[in-house]
Amino acid sequence: MTVVLDFGRHGLEVSLPQGLDVEVVRTSRHPPLPDPPAAILRALAQPLGCASLAELCRGRKSAVVVVSDKTRPVPYRVLLPPLLRTLWDAGLGPDRVEVLVATGLHRSNTADELLEMLGEDVVRTYRVRNHDARNDATHAFVGTTRRGTPVWIDRGYLDADLRILTGLIEPHLMAGYSGGRKALCPGIAGVATIRRIHGPELLEAPIGPGILDGNPFHEELLEILGMVGAEFLCDVSIDRQRRITGIYAGDVVRAHCAGADNVERQVLVTVEHPADVVLVSAGGYPLDQTLYQSIKGLVAALNVVRTGGAIVLAAELAEGAGSREFVELLTSAESPGEFMEKVWRPDFFCIDQWMVQHLCQVLRKATVWIAAPRPVLSFPTGFRIRWASTPEHALAEALAQLGNVRRILVIPEGPYALATVRGKKLPLGTAWREEPSA
């Protein structure tokens, strides 16, 4: 039996072991929209919970359109032209509109990456700016949330008369679902804000893919949105070929909730029993280009791997491990326990520590193999992570180590699918203690 995983730009065919119970998780995504530009224009003219985008332009002198960075496969070449044309026709031409790339704490997108993401016409015609979370001078203080998060937001965004958020709605390991309020924070927030919302305490709270109710990370983002404001949202959902399957436009909260509900009906998959071994992709390009982002694929397997089982992650890793801070932090502790002791110290902070913490959450429950063309770093010996050149080699090693393996589960879409055992979405901080019975 073979299966094609989302891997790089073109996918990867994997031969699965014979003689075992193998189940492939398949989502039921909607078909792509037959005429996306026309559908986008309709959504902008008939949004959910607010006036049309054209009406919102009346009396405004400037606008900012917040877009995701290159780590999210948002089809902006399709989405942006109708949106920007609506602004232009309503009196907000290119000289009055800024396209702001919500990098969060990711690196700035290069000129070539912006061309690939946004298209030549947008880059040539509009002012496009990468948000820089590390530059305190480009942020303004808005206030403090009830949980004590200091809210620092990009000044250019705050100064605009009309503020539009865009993005992709998909399962997200912290926010439950991406999109909506997440474009604002952490997308265009300052380091002090991101540090607080990505702190170790919040990451051990009941957060996880698909979890919105009772999710304190999601609640914090909503409070920040209420403090800062945004006049309009235009999010999308996509299929495995990155084609638009849905458009969710209007009031940020209402449109995002509608989109998350719709997406969950498409991506949530239920299996009856946890698996001994889970083979999962990191989502393909652009998500699987770095180890940092690929950890989301490991988290996607946590719901459905048994305690003491194994996860095999397939990722291209063409750009390596990730940021310098991520690499130095990941290789500075000899074990997950030592890292967690460090991260819980009140005086400790390092950019990208949150993804190392998520990796430690995975390792509490399972051993990990990473199948990639080449190793991108050397893990400390205390981390139960091994490299393999192919998923087949990794699966063979996992089967030999575990012994008595009966069941393998495959998640070809990686973190873009929401795999569960009997519908239960497990919080990351307690997933290894709440496993459904086999």
Side-chain angles (χ1 to χ4, degrees), residues 162-191:
L162 178 63
R163 298 163 298 181
I164 302 165
L165 305 178
T166 70
L168 171 68
I169 299 179
E170 56 175 333
H172 187 269
L173 73 177
M174 300 178 199
Y177 282 94
S178 65
R181 68 282 186 254
K182 204 168 169 293
L184 177 67
C185 181
I188 57 170
V191 171

PDB file of all heavy atoms in Angstrom, residues 162-191:
ATOM      1  N   LEU A 162      -8.733  52.773   8.082  1.00  0.00           N
ATOM      2  CA  LEU A 162      -9.473  51.542   7.813  1.00  0.00           C
ATOM      3  C   LEU A 162      -8.499  50.373   7.916  1.00  0.00           C
ATOM      4  O   LEU A 162      -7.489  50.342   7.209  1.00  0.00           O
ATOM      5  CB  LEU A 162     -10.112  51.590   6.418  1.00  0.00           C
ATOM      6  CG  LEU A 162     -10.882  50.340   5.977  1.00  0.00           C
ATOM      7  CD1 LEU A 162     -12.078  50.096   6.891  1.00  0.00           C
ATOM      8  CD2 LEU A 162     -11.339  50.480   4.523  1.00  0.00           C
ATOM      9  N   ARG A 163      -8.827  49.424   8.789  1.00  0.00           N
ATOM     10  CA  ARG A 163      -7.883  48.336   9.075  1.00  0.00           C
ATOM     11  C   ARG A 163      -8.533  46.997   8.724  1.00  0.00           C
ATOM     12  O   ARG A 163      -9.582  46.639   9.269  1.00  0.00           O
ATOM     13  CB  ARG A 163      -7.471  48.400  10.534  1.00  0.00           C
ATOM     14  CG  ARG A 163      -6.750  49.714  10.869  1.00  0.00           C
ATOM     15  CD  ARG A 163      -6.685  49.988  12.340  1.00  0.00           C
ATOM     16  NE  ARG A 163      -8.007  50.125  12.942  1.00  0.00           N
ATOM     17  CZ  ARG A 163      -8.208  50.384  14.233  1.00  0.00           C
ATOM     18  NH1 ARG A 163      -7.181  50.529  15.046  1.00  0.00           N
ATOM     19  NH2 ARG A 163      -9.430  50.475  14.708  1.00  0.00           N
ATOM     20  N   ILE A 164      -7.874  46.285   7.822  1.00  0.00           N
ATOM     21  CA  ILE A 164      -8.419  45.048   7.256  1.00  0.00           C
ATOM     22  C   ILE A 164      -7.456  43.903   7.562  1.00  0.00           C
ATOM     23  O   ILE A 164      -6.257  44.002   7.276  1.00  0.00           O
ATOM     24  CB  ILE A 164      -8.609  45.188   5.730  1.00  0.00           C
ATOM     25  CG1 ILE A 164      -9.541  46.367   5.420  1.00  0.00           C
ATOM     26  CG2 ILE A 164      -9.145  43.889   5.131  1.00  0.00           C
ATOM     27  CD1 ILE A 164      -9.503  46.814   3.977  1.00  0.00           C
ATOM     28  N   LEU A 165      -7.976  42.832   8.138  1.00  0.00           N
ATOM     29  CA  LEU A 165      -7.189  41.640   8.420  1.00  0.00           C
ATOM     30  C   LEU A 165      -7.519  40.558   7.397  1.00  0.00           C
ATOM     31  O   LEU A 165      -8.687  40.387   7.021  1.00  0.00           O
ATOM     32  CB  LEU A 165      -7.482  41.114   9.827  1.00  0.00           C
ATOM     33  CG  LEU A 165      -7.309  42.091  10.994  1.00  0.00           C
ATOM     34  CD1 LEU A 165      -7.683  41.407  12.304  1.00  0.00           C
ATOM     35  CD2 LEU A 165      -5.894  42.636  11.055  1.00  0.00           C
ATOM     36  N   THR A 166      -6.522  39.816   6.976  1.00  0.00           N
ATOM     37  CA  THR A 166      -6.742  38.694   6.063  1.00  0.00           C
ATOM     38  C   THR A 166      -5.929  37.494   6.542  1.00  0.00           C
ATOM     39  O   THR A 166      -5.015  37.631   7.352  1.00  0.00           O
ATOM     40  CB  THR A 166      -6.309  39.032   4.624  1.00  0.00           C
ATOM     41  OG1 THR A 166      -4.866  39.132   4.569  1.00  0.00           O
ATOM     42  CG2 THR A 166      -6.919  40.342   4.146  1.00  0.00           C
ATOM     43  N   GLY A 167      -6.260  36.313   6.039  1.00  0.00           N
ATOM     44  CA  GLY A 167      -5.484  35.143   6.405  1.00  0.00           C
ATOM     45  C   GLY A 167      -6.182  33.851   6.045  1.00  0.00           C
ATOM     46  O   GLY A 167      -7.166  33.818   5.294  1.00  0.00           O
ATOM     47  N   LEU A 168      -5.660  32.769   6.620  1.00  0.00           N
ATOM     48  CA  LEU A 168      -6.122  31.414   6.364  1.00  0.00           C
ATOM     49  C   LEU A 168      -6.671  30.822   7.646  1.00  0.00           C
ATOM     50  O   LEU A 168      -6.057  30.944   8.710  1.00  0.00           O
ATOM     51  CB  LEU A 168      -4.942  30.567   5.862  1.00  0.00           C
ATOM     52  CG  LEU A 168      -5.159  29.059   5.745  1.00  0.00           C
ATOM     53  CD1 LEU A 168      -6.147  28.749   4.629  1.00  0.00           C
ATOM     54  CD2 LEU A 168      -3.828  28.354   5.497  1.00  0.00           C
ATOM     55  N   ILE A 169      -7.821  30.153   7.556  1.00  0.00           N
ATOM     56  CA  ILE A 169      -8.386  29.465   8.707  1.00  0.00           C
ATOM     57  C   ILE A 169      -8.045  27.984   8.605  1.00  0.00           C
ATOM     58  O   ILE A 169      -8.402  27.317   7.631  1.00  0.00           O
ATOM     59  CB  ILE A 169      -9.908  29.673   8.790  1.00  0.00           C
ATOM     60  CG1 ILE A 169     -10.233  31.172   8.941  1.00  0.00           C
ATOM     61  CG2 ILE A 169     -10.491  28.898   9.970  1.00  0.00           C
ATOM     62  CD1 ILE A 169     -11.717  31.482   9.011  1.00  0.00           C
ATOM     63  N   GLU A 170      -7.342  27.480   9.607  1.00  0.00           N
ATOM     64  CA  GLU A 170      -6.884  26.098   9.672  1.00  0.00           C
ATOM     65  C   GLU A 170      -6.706  25.747  11.141  1.00  0.00           C
ATOM     66  O   GLU A 170      -6.607  26.634  11.986  1.00  0.00           O
ATOM     67  CB  GLU A 170      -5.540  25.959   8.949  1.00  0.00           C
ATOM     68  CG  GLU A 170      -4.520  26.921   9.543  1.00  0.00           C
ATOM     69  CD  GLU A 170      -3.114  26.787   8.983  1.00  0.00           C
ATOM     70  OE1 GLU A 170      -2.773  25.681   8.541  1.00  0.00           O
ATOM     71  OE2 GLU A 170      -2.372  27.775   9.031  1.00  0.00           O
ATOM     72  N   PRO A 171      -6.653  24.471  11.501  1.00  0.00           N
ATOM     73  CA  PRO A 171      -6.356  24.134  12.897  1.00  0.00           C
ATOM     74  C   PRO A 171      -5.010  24.711  13.313  1.00  0.00           C
ATOM     75  O   PRO A 171      -4.046  24.686  12.542  1.00  0.00           O
ATOM     76  CB  PRO A 171      -6.323  22.599  12.889  1.00  0.00           C
ATOM     77  CG  PRO A 171      -7.177  22.213  11.726  1.00  0.00           C
ATOM     78  CD  PRO A 171      -6.942  23.274  10.690  1.00  0.00           C
ATOM     79  N   HIS A 172      -4.950  25.220  14.539  1.00  0.00           N
ATOM     80  CA  HIS A 172      -3.704  25.832  15.026  1.00  0.00           C
ATOM     81  C   HIS A 172      -3.412  25.331  16.428  1.00  0.00           C
ATOM     82  O   HIS A 172      -4.305  25.260  17.273  1.00  0.00           O
ATOM     83  CB  HIS A 172      -3.813  27.357  15.025  1.00  0.00           C
ATOM     84  CG  HIS A 172      -2.517  28.034  15.342  1.00  0.00           C
ATOM     85  ND1 HIS A 172      -2.154  28.375  16.628  1.00  0.00           N
ATOM     86  CD2 HIS A 172      -1.481  28.411  14.548  1.00  0.00           C
ATOM     87  CE1 HIS A 172      -0.957  28.932  16.601  1.00  0.00           C
ATOM     88  NE2 HIS A 172      -0.521  28.966  15.360  1.00  0.00           N
ATOM     89  N   LEU A 173      -2.148  25.026  16.691  1.00  0.00           N
ATOM     90  CA  LEU A 173      -1.774  24.361  17.932  1.00  0.00           C
ATOM     91  C   LEU A 173      -1.962  25.224  19.177  1.00  0.00           C
ATOM     92  O   LEU A 173      -2.131  24.674  20.276  1.00  0.00           O
ATOM     93  CB  LEU A 173      -0.337  23.847  17.844  1.00  0.00           C
ATOM     94  CG  LEU A 173       0.833  24.812  17.903  1.00  0.00           C
ATOM     95  CD1 LEU A 173       2.153  24.019  17.862  1.00  0.00           C
ATOM     96  CD2 LEU A 173       0.841  25.850  16.814  1.00  0.00           C
ATOM     97  N   MET A 174      -1.967  26.543  19.058  1.00  0.00           N
ATOM     98  CA  MET A 174      -2.202  27.402  20.217  1.00  0.00           C
ATOM     99  C   MET A 174      -3.604  28.022  20.179  1.00  0.00           C
ATOM    100  O   MET A 174      -4.338  27.981  21.163  1.00  0.00           O
ATOM    101  CB  MET A 174      -1.171  28.532  20.272  1.00  0.00           C
ATOM    102  CG  MET A 174       0.258  28.095  20.376  1.00  0.00           C
ATOM    103  SD  MET A 174       1.347  29.561  20.378  1.00  0.00           S
ATOM    104  CE  MET A 174       2.907  28.813  19.918  1.00  0.00           C
ATOM    105  N   ALA A 175      -3.943  28.614  19.045  1.00  0.00           N
ATOM    106  CA  ALA A 175      -5.158  29.420  18.945  1.00  0.00           C
ATOM    107  C   ALA A 175      -6.406  28.616  18.642  1.00  0.00           C
ATOM    108  O   ALA A 175      -7.490  29.190  18.566  1.00  0.00           O
ATOM    109  CB  ALA A 175      -4.971  30.496  17.871  1.00  0.00           C
ATOM    110  N   GLY A 176      -6.290  27.300  18.493  1.00  0.00           N
ATOM    111  CA  GLY A 176      -7.435  26.491  18.112  1.00  0.00           C
ATOM    112  C   GLY A 176      -7.628  26.491  16.612  1.00  0.00           C
ATOM    113  O   GLY A 176      -7.584  25.465  15.947  1.00  0.00           O
ATOM    114  N   TYR A 177      -7.850  27.695  16.075  1.00  0.00           N
ATOM    115  CA  TYR A 177      -7.887  27.906  14.626  1.00  0.00           C
ATOM    116  C   TYR A 177      -7.129  29.189  14.309  1.00  0.00           C
ATOM    117  O   TYR A 177      -7.221  30.177  15.050  1.00  0.00           O
ATOM    118  CB  TYR A 177      -9.325  27.990  14.102  1.00  0.00           C
ATOM    119  CG  TYR A 177      -9.963  26.634  13.974  1.00  0.00           C
ATOM    120  CD1 TYR A 177     -10.744  26.109  14.999  1.00  0.00           C
ATOM    121  CD2 TYR A 177      -9.745  25.850  12.847  1.00  0.00           C
ATOM    122  CE1 TYR A 177     -11.297  24.841  14.899  1.00  0.00           C
ATOM    123  CE2 TYR A 177     -10.295  24.585  12.732  1.00  0.00           C
ATOM    124  CZ  TYR A 177     -11.066  24.086  13.758  1.00  0.00           C
ATOM    125  OH  TYR A 177     -11.590  22.828  13.661  1.00  0.00           O
ATOM    126  N   SER A 178      -6.389  29.168  13.230  1.00  0.00           N
ATOM    127  CA  SER A 178      -5.675  30.365  12.788  1.00  0.00           C
ATOM    128  C   SER A 178      -6.654  31.330  12.132  1.00  0.00           C
ATOM    129  O   SER A 178      -7.853  31.079  12.036  1.00  0.00           O
ATOM    130  CB  SER A 178      -4.569  29.972  11.801  1.00  0.00           C
ATOM    131  OG  SER A 178      -5.149  29.436  10.617  1.00  0.00           O
ATOM    132  N   GLY A 179      -6.123  32.450  11.653  1.00  0.00           N
ATOM    133  CA  GLY A 179      -6.965  33.441  11.004  1.00  0.00           C
ATOM    134  C   GLY A 179      -7.577  34.407  11.998  1.00  0.00           C
ATOM    135  O   GLY A 179      -7.308  34.378  13.201  1.00  0.00           O
ATOM    136  N   GLY A 180      -8.411  35.307  11.493  1.00  0.00           N
ATOM    137  CA  GLY A 180      -9.106  36.260  12.340  1.00  0.00           C
ATOM    138  C   GLY A 180      -8.170  37.078  13.191  1.00  0.00           C
ATOM    139  O   GLY A 180      -7.221  37.710  12.702  1.00  0.00           O
ATOM    140  N   ARG A 181      -8.391  37.046  14.506  1.00  0.00           N
ATOM    141  CA  ARG A 181      -7.652  37.873  15.463  1.00  0.00           C
ATOM    142  C   ARG A 181      -6.161  37.602  15.471  1.00  0.00           C
ATOM    143  O   ARG A 181      -5.360  38.413  15.925  1.00  0.00           O
ATOM    144  CB  ARG A 181      -8.230  37.671  16.866  1.00  0.00           C
ATOM    145  CG  ARG A 181      -7.985  36.254  17.454  1.00  0.00           C
ATOM    146  CD  ARG A 181      -8.942  35.195  16.889  1.00  0.00           C
ATOM    147  NE  ARG A 181      -8.802  33.896  17.532  1.00  0.00           N
ATOM    148  CZ  ARG A 181      -8.218  32.836  16.966  1.00  0.00           C
ATOM    149  NH1 ARG A 181      -7.665  32.915  15.762  1.00  0.00           N
ATOM    150  NH2 ARG A 181      -8.176  31.690  17.605  1.00  0.00           N
ATOM    151  N   LYS A 182      -5.741  36.448  14.937  1.00  0.00           N
ATOM    152  CA  LYS A 182      -4.336  36.081  14.978  1.00  0.00           C
ATOM    153  C   LYS A 182      -3.484  36.936  14.029  1.00  0.00           C
ATOM    154  O   LYS A 182      -2.275  37.087  14.239  1.00  0.00           O
ATOM    155  CB  LYS A 182      -4.185  34.600  14.634  1.00  0.00           C
ATOM    156  CG  LYS A 182      -2.928  33.978  15.185  1.00  0.00           C
ATOM    157  CD  LYS A 182      -2.959  32.477  15.064  1.00  0.00           C
ATOM    158  CE  LYS A 182      -1.572  31.939  15.372  1.00  0.00           C
ATOM    159  NZ  LYS A 182      -0.600  32.335  14.351  1.00  0.00           N
ATOM    160  N   ALA A 183      -4.094  37.501  12.994  1.00  0.00           N
ATOM    161  CA  ALA A 183      -3.349  38.408  12.115  1.00  0.00           C
ATOM    162  C   ALA A 183      -2.894  39.646  12.871  1.00  0.00           C
ATOM    163  O   ALA A 183      -1.840  40.219  12.569  1.00  0.00           O
ATOM    164  CB  ALA A 183      -4.218  38.803  10.923  1.00  0.00           C
ATOM    165  N   LEU A 184      -3.686  40.041  13.839  1.00  0.00           N
ATOM    166  CA  LEU A 184      -3.355  41.212  14.663  1.00  0.00           C
ATOM    167  C   LEU A 184      -2.310  40.864  15.724  1.00  0.00           C
ATOM    168  O   LEU A 184      -1.306  41.568  15.896  1.00  0.00           O
ATOM    169  CB  LEU A 184      -4.628  41.754  15.311  1.00  0.00           C
ATOM    170  CG  LEU A 184      -4.488  42.935  16.264  1.00  0.00           C
ATOM    171  CD1 LEU A 184      -4.040  44.169  15.496  1.00  0.00           C
ATOM    172  CD2 LEU A 184      -5.819  43.197  16.974  1.00  0.00           C
ATOM    173  N   CYS A 185      -2.557  39.793  16.435  1.00  0.00           N
ATOM    174  CA  CYS A 185      -1.642  39.349  17.496  1.00  0.00           C
ATOM    175  C   CYS A 185      -1.585  37.825  17.477  1.00  0.00           C
ATOM    176  O   CYS A 185      -2.627  37.174  17.602  1.00  0.00           O
ATOM    177  CB  CYS A 185      -2.122  39.848  18.852  1.00  0.00           C
ATOM    178  SG  CYS A 185      -1.036  39.373  20.217  1.00  0.00           S
ATOM    179  N   PRO A 186      -0.404  37.274  17.221  1.00  0.00           N
ATOM    180  CA  PRO A 186       0.911  37.907  17.244  1.00  0.00           C
ATOM    181  C   PRO A 186       1.371  38.563  15.951  1.00  0.00           C
ATOM    182  O   PRO A 186       2.473  39.096  15.898  1.00  0.00           O
ATOM    183  CB  PRO A 186       1.827  36.728  17.573  1.00  0.00           C
ATOM    184  CG  PRO A 186       1.163  35.559  16.934  1.00  0.00           C
ATOM    185  CD  PRO A 186      -0.315  35.798  17.115  1.00  0.00           C
ATOM    186  N   GLY A 187       0.548  38.541  14.905  1.00  0.00           N
ATOM    187  CA  GLY A 187       0.998  38.958  13.581  1.00  0.00           C
ATOM    188  C   GLY A 187       1.720  40.277  13.509  1.00  0.00           C
ATOM    189  O   GLY A 187       2.785  40.391  12.896  1.00  0.00           O
ATOM    190  N   ILE A 188       1.153  41.325  14.138  1.00  0.00           N
ATOM    191  CA  ILE A 188       1.782  42.653  14.061  1.00  0.00           C
ATOM    192  C   ILE A 188       2.000  43.230  15.457  1.00  0.00           C
ATOM    193  O   ILE A 188       1.971  44.442  15.663  1.00  0.00           O
ATOM    194  CB  ILE A 188       0.958  43.619  13.185  1.00  0.00           C
ATOM    195  CG1 ILE A 188      -0.486  43.745  13.700  1.00  0.00           C
ATOM    196  CG2 ILE A 188       0.959  43.177  11.735  1.00  0.00           C
ATOM    197  CD1 ILE A 188      -1.262  44.866  13.018  1.00  0.00           C
ATOM    198  N   ALA A 189       2.241  42.350  16.416  1.00  0.00           N
ATOM    199  CA  ALA A 189       2.497  42.769  17.792  1.00  0.00           C
ATOM    200  C   ALA A 189       3.994  42.868  18.057  1.00  0.00           C
ATOM    201  O   ALA A 189       4.818  42.343  17.300  1.00  0.00           O
ATOM    202  CB  ALA A 189       1.845  41.797  18.768  1.00  0.00           C
ATOM    203  N   GLY A 190       4.351  43.542  19.159  1.00  0.00           N
ATOM    204  CA  GLY A 190       5.735  43.679  19.558  1.00  0.00           C
ATOM    205  C   GLY A 190       6.217  42.505  20.387  1.00  0.00           C
ATOM    206  O   GLY A 190       5.430  41.663  20.844  1.00  0.00           O
ATOM    207  N   VAL A 191       7.527  42.453  20.617  1.00  0.00           N
ATOM    208  CA  VAL A 191       8.130  41.337  21.340  1.00  0.00           C
ATOM    209  C   VAL A 191       7.524  41.164  22.724  1.00  0.00           C
ATOM    210  O   VAL A 191       7.239  40.042  23.156  1.00  0.00           O
ATOM    211  CB  VAL A 191       9.659  41.528  21.450  1.00  0.00           C
ATOM    212  CG1 VAL A 191      10.262  40.478  22.381  1.00  0.00           C
ATOM    213  CG2 VAL A 191      10.314  41.445  20.090  1.00  0.00           C
TER     214      VAL A 191
END
